[in-house]
Amino acid sequence: MPTYRSIGLMSGTSMDGVDVALIETDGDAAVAFGPTGHYPYNDADRALLRNALAEAATLEDRDARPGVLAFAERMVTDRHAEAVETLIRDNEIDPASVAIVGFHGQTVLHRPKQGLTIQIGDGPALAARLGLDVAYDFRAADIAAGGEGAPIVPVFHRALVVAGGMKGEVALLNIGGVANVTYVADGEEPIACDTGPGNALIDDLMLQRTGAPIDRHGHTAARGRVNEATLLKMLAHPFFDQPPPKSLDRNAFALDAIAKLSTEDAAATLTAFTAASVLRLFPHLPTQPQLLIVCGGGARNPILVRELVMRLPCKVTTADAVGWSADSMEAQAFAYLATRLLEGLPITFPTTTGVAEALPGGVLARAAGSSVIPGRPQA
């Protein structure tokens, strides 16, 4: 298989900014890491995205962009373009050497049971501005075929485990706004699902109570105590009894349960909730993982990592500790998924999203101005 130079982009449900990464890959087992970057949203950008989330809550047409959603989509597209342009400039990358850009966009609604997932971001506009082919809208095909549309990066997680020569049962826990796990065992298809809230509830609490966008390094949670009674009530949510595959909308859980707690105790309890949610998945796996590797923004929260170490009956480490990038892994994943689109390879599987059969995904926007869904006859 040929090797491609691909750039991936990710703006997660925590809405902190745009991650960008370059990799070289064949879309299978070969993955070599290149330069990465993070470009934070400013306060106005985040406020616009929060308004877009509120506006999207009532949508039934995934192509509709009423009101503030249209402005948010333009902003998201512009910020992602700036991220790619900066990565190319700062690292003296020849644009002609880049085969494709993988553009996830910003999720504003994810309701698979209603056959609906919406990621704002204009793929053709990004391709035109960059002068590069862009793969986008990765989740829609899976949703249309009856899958959950998430998690969508487990095939990349499996590639990392294989390339790293890891043996036995390994779980990768990605903690963004929502947390998800990929379970990889020798010779088996990956098993994956959302586990519960990641950083979203903690972020919402901090914004509501303090005006800060996040609990940086878990400092607020570190000053609080976990309210175990409240935690048990939150863990009684029926989602946790469902076997994988399963997925969540960012706003599937609310702050009502911790409303009467102090900010410090609320932050501690929500942090414990994210960790304890992961444990609730373990009975649904074929065997208990021997190793759990934490990536995503949550890997930067030592209090959250401590809760995972305390609550999980397996070894817990971070992506950085095994030579990966906790911060850039999802951006790298979308570079990898974009390459698989070029090769016509599947990105979702019955064991990851519940789709009936392994399925390719994504739409290809050519730099010259056309959009193509690979594998489908074009009008």
Side-chain angles (χ1 to χ4, degrees):
M1 295 174 65
T3 297
Y4 299 89
R5 212 175 199 199
S6 306
I7 291 176
L9 291 157
M10 183 62 191
S11 175
T13 48
S14 56
M15 300 184 295
D16 58 340
V18 178
D19 294 316
V20 58
L22 183 143
I23 66 171
E24 294 186 11
T25 181
D26 62 356
D28 188 24
V31 182
F33 303 129
T36 65
H38 174 74
Y39 303 92
Y41 289 129
N42 59 40
D43 289 344
D45 294 340
R46 282 192 290 270
L48 179 58
L49 287 176
R50 288 186 176 277
N51 288 334
L53 280 174
E55 183 113 29
T58 60
L59 286 183
E60 296 181 0
D61 177 0
R62 70 183 310 267
D63 296 319
R65 297 293 184 268
V68 73
L69 277 164
F71 293 102
E73 181 158 69
R74 283 196 289 273
M75 182 276 289
V76 165
T77 306
D78 288 344
R79 297 295 176 270
H80 282 72
E82 292 159 8
V84 174
E85 290 164 351
T86 303
L87 185 82
I88 287 174
R89 182 186 66 243
D90 289 355
N91 295 280
E92 299 181 345
I93 298 166
D94 178 7
S97 72
V98 178
I100 195 163
V101 175
F103 176 34
H104 174 264
Q106 180 71 53
T107 297
V108 293
L109 187 71
H110 184 72
R111 293 179 181 165
K113 297 298 186 287
Q114 299 174 18
L116 195 59
T117 187
I118 302 174
Q119 288 73 45
I120 57 173
D122 189 331
L126 184 64
R129 173 166 167 173
L130 295 176
L132 296 169
D133 290 352
V134 170
Y136 68 104
D137 204 13
F138 286 94
R139 301 181 189 273
D142 187 82
I143 291 280
E148 290 282 325
I152 204 167
V153 300
V155 67
F156 178 64
H157 290 164
R158 180 181 64 181
L160 291 179
V161 170
V162 172
M166 298 177 181
K167 301 299 181 183
E169 295 78 31
V170 180
L172 282 77
L173 172 65
N174 176 61
I175 307 177
V178 172
N180 56 73
V181 154
T182 301
Y183 172 89
V184 180
D186 297 341
E188 302 293 333
E189 293 289 3
I191 296 172
C193 67
D194 288 345
T195 60
N199 300 314
L201 284 179
I202 305 167
D203 294 348
D204 290 349
L205 171 80
M206 295 303 295
L207 187 66
Q208 182 187 99
R209 300 277 187 97
T210 73
I214 63 174
D215 181 15
R216 194 169 301 280
H217 304 304
H219 288 160
T220 303
R223 297 195 301 270
R225 295 181 63 182
V226 176
N227 187 306
E228 296 289 347
T230 298
L231 177 59
L232 284 174
K233 290 179 182 177
M234 297 173 79
L235 288 168
H237 193 288
F239 174 81
F240 301 117
D241 293 323
Q242 299 171 20
K246 55 183 177 178
S247 65
L248 285 168
D249 184 66
R250 183 195 184 280
N251 295 323
F253 295 89
L255 295 175
D256 299 354
I258 51 81
K260 295 182 179 180
L261 301 181
S262 70
T263 300
E264 291 78 11
D265 288 356
T269 302
L270 292 175
T271 302
F273 183 35
T274 293
S277 298
V278 179
L279 180 59
R280 287 293 305 271
L281 173 65
F282 278 26
H284 298 297
L285 297 175
T287 59
Q288 180 178 295
Q290 301 168 23
L291 173 67
L292 182 132
I293 303 170
V294 187
C295 53
R300 296 282 178 241
N301 183 332
I303 306 305
L304 178 50
V305 174
R306 184 188 70 185
E307 286 286 341
L308 289 164
V309 171
M310 290 170 52
R311 294 177 183 272
L312 299 186
C314 64
K315 181 181 178 182
V316 175
T317 189
T318 65
D320 290 337
V322 298
W324 303 336
S325 172
D327 294 330
S328 302
M329 189 180 292
E330 282 203 299
Q332 292 166 343
F334 280 94
Y336 180 84
L337 296 182
T339 302
R340 289 181 72 86
L341 180 145
L342 292 178
E343 286 293 314
L345 297 171
I347 64 171
T348 58
F349 304 84
T351 53
T352 62
T353 67
V355 72
E357 59 184 4
L359 193 69
V363 178
L364 181 60
R366 296 289 189 186
S370 63
S371 288
V372 177
I373 302 177
R376 298 187 192 177
Q378 302 304 308

